[in-house]
Amino acid sequence: HSPALEEADFENKPMVLLVGQYSTGKTTFIRYLLEQDFPGMRIGPEPTTDSFIAVMYGETEGNVPGNALVVDPKKPFRKLGRFGNAFLNRFMCSQLPNEVLKSISIIDSPGILSGEKQRISRGYDFCQVLQWFAERVDRIILLFDAHKLDISDEFSEAIKSFRGQDDKIRVVLNKADQVDTQQLMRVYGALMWSLGKVIDTPEVLRVYIGSFWAHPLRNTDNRRLFEAEAQDLFKDIQSLPQKAAVRKLNDLIKRARLAKVHAYIISYLKKEMPSVFGKENKKKELINKLPEIYIQLQREYHISAGDFPEVKKMQEQLENCDFTKFHSLKPKLIEAVDNMLANKIASLMNLIRQEESNMPTEMVHGGAFDGTMAGPFGHGYGEGAKEGADEEEWVVAKDKPAYDEIFYTLSPINGKISGISAKKEMVTSKLPNSVLGKIWKLADCDGDGMLDDEEFALAKHLIKIKLDGYELPGTLPSHLVPPSHRKPFQTAE
């Protein structure tokens, strides 16, 4: 299935694999994340990246060609040697001292073309290479261009080679600023329809919409949407170093289960072989009967059908094997695997959790990730509940005259209205009672069960925030506290 895991497989940084048709912005996306060019980078509207490029951290800038890369014991690429020179001439590592690359490595893949010719002229099995990477990376990002939604034959094959890695796949609809809102809605629908035909999962894939390059937006109508989507994608990538240990452990468990099932299949075939005559015929019969053998082993050892290798692939592999040289089942080895899965993995998980709680949260920093965190250009800054945070005047004051008119129609007693009067007005917003309850709690600053004119204006402001599609704050931010309630409220806090 795959060669033994080595030290480098465990010690290396989480990897992100970018896959997409040519000119969907894969290399530009890496440049956008790093905020600098990397050695070997070529960008253009025609198919430019013709190699797999592993962009990794290095003290000095430079390129390492494929043949040298697969003999380096510190890099996790040694097993790529089996794809031969045709592939290794099209594989390189680009090293540079970039802050982002201290936490993750990025694999850029050649742009996928359509048609049979390109598949033949590569000289190596493109899908097999993608499958090899897919098993070892932490994220697979499929890039689509808003003007290039067709999934070509080779792209369809490439996506199918990610079967079993669905949890790692994320989709990015790039260059979304080049269409207007109405077209974007149709483009998104068409993309989901195309993906539904190729990716065979019951759940919907997460699609991030945006324009991932540093140029001005052509269409600014959806700026807020692009900001929110980029923020979500960054959060997803930033969490990778944290989850890397668990992912590697997960791969180890997957591998152990596969090895166990493989042992059952091989020992069964060995047991069924005659000792003297008719070996060839028996071999053919057993290969043909493989689906039935699977069912028999599932029943006998209570194994899930999902743990078995693909029948067709296994039949092809078995054609070239001598069944008499197979080994018999060694119950002690099976016991050791079961013990590892039942006991040792559990204690390893506890160790990982302890280590995570004791160490500071590891996040991806540098490049585009730093520009999105703080300052007035952070997502949501100056919007919703954060509006007016850096202004001296109370942000609610500008609409207060209109709110006061409503307040005095509710017959206040001693300058305050009761909960019943407030409710009559607040339910006209048609917000659910649970939301209105939260707004009441935030607006009633002194907790006396009544609202004065400033608290009522605050309640109306919070309703407006919610109706505009923003989230309510968990606790009332200091800049929203009504002026007359500020001092006692803040000392009480």
Side-chain angles (χ1 to χ4, degrees), residues 256-257 259-260 332-342 345:
R257 291 167 69 112
K260 197 171 128 183
K332 271 193 176 172
L333 289 178
I334 296 283
E335 241 171 76
V337 174
D338 286 339
N339 178 39
M340 180 193 84
L341 292 173
I345 292 289

Side-chain angles (χ1 to χ4, degrees), residues 437-451:
K438 189 176 179 185
I439 289 171
W440 171 271
K441 205 172 169 187
L442 290 169
D444 185 10
C445 297
D446 50 15
D448 64 351
M450 300 181 91
L451 300 182

Side-chain angles (χ1 to χ4, degrees), residues 356-422:
E356 278 177 0
S357 58
N358 295 337
M359 284 169 69
T361 308
E362 200 183 335
M363 297 282 267
V364 181
H365 289 291
F369 295 96
D370 285 354
T372 57
M373 293 302 145
F377 298 98
H379 172 58
Y381 189 91
E383 297 174 355
K386 294 174 189 169
E387 189 190 347
D390 44 12
E391 291 172 21
E392 278 187 31
E393 197 187 343
W394 188 38
V395 68
V396 185
K398 63 179 190 291
D399 296 317
K400 193 170 179 290
Y403 298 149
D404 282 350
E405 279 180 31
I406 302 167
F407 179 75
Y408 289 111
T409 62
L410 300 171
S411 320
I413 300 161
N414 299 331
K416 294 194 172 194
I417 57 169
S418 66
I420 294 168
S421 304

Side-chain angles (χ1 to χ4, degrees), residues 74-89:
K74 289 182 181 169
K75 296 273 190 291
F77 306 123
R78 284 166 57 115
K79 301 300 186 296
L80 280 166
R82 70 185 172 97
F83 293 107
N85 267 337
F87 166 70
L88 295 179
N89 292 336

